[in-house]
Amino acid sequence: MDKDIEQILLTEEQIQNRIRELGEVLTAEYADKNPVIVGVLKGVVVFYADMVRRIKVPCQMDFMWLSSYSGANSTGKMLVRQDVTADIAGRHVLILEDIFDTGNSLEFTVNHLKEKNPASIKICTLLDKPERRRPGVTLQADYVGFTIPNAFVVGYGLDYNEKYRNLPYVGILKPEVYTK
Ligand code: 5GP
Ligand code: MG
C-alpha cells in the first residue's frame, strides 16, 4: 500500500500528538457530563478508537452509519443506514468525524441528531478541508485536528474504493492509482 502514496501529509506521530492535545481539551470539556460519543462510520473507526482513549471521562460509545447515493438525479442525498442506539434526549453528544469536506454528511448528521433533543451537540473532526465546503453550509466544527489543503487523502480510516483505511498515517495517493 505504501508504494501507492505520493506524499505523507500527516505522520503517525503528528496524528497521535494532536489527539493527545485534543484529549486534554475534551477531557476538561466533558468532565461530569457523561457524553454520548457518536462516531460516523466507517471512516472514523481508527480516529475514534485512538481519540476515545484520550478522553478520560465516563462516556457512552455509539455509532451512526450513513449512506449517500449520488445517482444522476439525486446528488448528495443521504440516508441513515444505521442509527444511534442510545437514547440521546437530554444527553451531551460529541460527534467524531474523519473529515469535514463539503459538509453534507455532518450537516445531515447534526440535523438528524438534533431531532432527538440532546442537551448539546459538538463536533470534533480529525481533518477539515474548508476549501471544499458547499456554499450555504454554515456549520462549523468545534474541534479540528488538522486543516488540510484541497487534496484527496487516504489512510487512518479514510479509503479509496475501500482500500488504505489501515494505513497508520494520512497521505495523498499517486495520480496513477486512480486510473488503474
Ligand atoms: P462531506 O463531503 O459530506 O463533508 O464528506 C463526506 C465523506 O466523504 C467523508 O466522511 C469521507 O468519508 C469522504 N471524504 C471526503 N473527503 C475525503 C478525502 O479526501 N478522502 C477520503 N478518503 N474520503 C473523503
Ligand atoms: Mg465519514
Side-chain angles (χ1 to χ4, degrees):
M1 291 187 293
D2 300 281
K3 68 175 181 1
D4 295 345
I5 303 298
E6 172 127 303
Q7 186 200 337
I8 296 181
L9 204 58
L10 301 166
T11 65
E12 204 171 343
E13 189 186 5
Q14 285 176 299
I15 295 169
Q16 296 305 328
N17 286 342
R18 183 69 184 123
I19 286 175
R20 210 168 297 126
E21 288 174 359
L22 284 172
E24 287 174 15
V25 175
L26 291 168
T27 297
E29 170 68 30
Y30 286 101
D32 307 314
K33 286 189 178 157
N34 187 23
V36 182
I37 303 182
V38 176
V40 185
L41 297 172
K42 293 189 280 189
V44 83
V45 285
V46 181
F47 174 52
Y48 191 103
D50 284 343
M51 190 68 251
V52 84
R53 283 178 288 177
R54 295 287 174 185
I55 306 174
K56 300 188 188 270
V57 303
C59 65
Q60 189 170 345
M61 293 170 51
D62 216 320
F63 299 92
M64 272 185 75
W65 192 5
L66 306 179
S67 59
S68 60
Y69 50 88
S70 42
N73 300 314
S74 58
T75 33
K77 185 160 167 46
M78 319 269 323
L79 291 171
V80 178
R81 186 195 290 257
Q82 165 77 57
D83 205 350
V84 288
T85 55
D87 177 6
I88 63 167
R91 302 285 303 274
H92 294 281
V93 172
L94 175 64
I95 298 172
L96 295 189
E97 252 285 28
D98 51 1
I99 187 163
F100 190 7
D101 190 42
T102 64
N104 289 335
S105 68
L106 264 175
E107 197 175 64
F108 178 86
T109 302
V110 167
N111 289 338
H112 175 78
L113 293 177
K114 265 188 186 162
E115 284 178 19
K116 300 173 189 283
N117 299 311
S120 69
I121 300 186
K122 287 196 173 189
I123 298 165
C124 174
T125 185
L126 175 67
L127 306 175
D128 187 9
K129 258 200 271 185
E131 288 170 48
R132 285 262 307 163
R133 208 77 85 241
R134 197 192 78 227
V137 174
T138 54
L139 190 69
Q140 292 196 324
D142 301 281
Y143 308 95
V144 174
F146 301 91
T147 300
I148 62 167
N150 183 8
F152 187 80
V153 293
V154 295
Y156 202 71
L158 291 148
D159 73 306
Y160 171 63
N161 284 347
E162 294 301 328
K163 202 175 164 187
Y164 308 108
R165 291 193 197 273
N166 56 337
L167 286 175
Y169 53 81
V170 171
I172 298 174
L173 279 180
K174 289 179 180 163
E176 60 261 34
V177 177
Y178 298 103
T179 52
K180 267 184 201 164

